Amino acid sequence: MKSIVMMAFVACIGATALWATPNPQLEQAQSSVTVDELTFTEITLDKIPQEVSDAFAKENEGAAIYKAYLAEKEDGTVVYKISVKDAEGAVQDFFYQEDGSKM
């Protein structure tokens, strides 16, 4: 009887741990929806905060910024969009918060 109770207890703990584990794909989808809803305005490269420049340079060693944009969220926080153009002309965008954390 004790073993059945113990197995049920372990199963409940395991199920709780699985349910509580965050889903990174869901978080990524939510943040991209937020970015899609923002209206970005182009800025000069010298207007990019140092924290954002440093974070971009660390994650994209050797890449040169093509264009930069900013948008303000409803809560007043600013989001920076950093665009990079490769040799073939394809543009890739990176999104950062004011503190340099990636979105």
Side-chain angles (χ1 to χ4, degrees):
M1 181 71 170
K2 287 182 184 179
S3 62
I4 293 174
V5 172
M6 187 59 96
M7 286 181 3
F9 178 73
V10 170
C12 287
I13 298 288
T16 303
L18 289 175
W19 180 73
T21 304
N23 185 341
Q25 292 174 339
L26 179 60
E27 289 176 16
Q28 182 179 15
Q30 289 172 341
S31 66
S32 65
V33 170
T34 304
V35 169
D36 290 342
E37 294 172 354
L38 296 174
T39 302
F40 286 90
T41 304
E42 187 172 353
I43 59 172
T44 59
L45 300 183
D46 62 336
K47 301 289 185 199
I48 301 171
Q50 190 64 45
E51 294 87 355
V52 174
S53 294
D54 291 346
F56 174 80
K58 184 178 179 180
E59 295 174 2
N60 303 284
E61 189 175 325
I65 298 174
Y66 171 63
K67 290 187 179 183
Y69 307 85
L70 71 80
E72 190 171 331
K73 290 176 151 184
E74 288 181 9
D75 64 2
T77 59
V78 177
V79 175
Y80 291 88
K81 174 179 164 182
I82 307 297
S83 296
V84 177
K85 187 186 267 189
D86 66 15
E88 290 82 37
V91 176
Q92 185 175 5
D93 297 323
F94 300 87
F95 299 92
Y96 295 90
Q97 297 179 29
E98 292 175 282
D99 64 358
S101 60
K102 198 167 183 180
M103 291 189 65

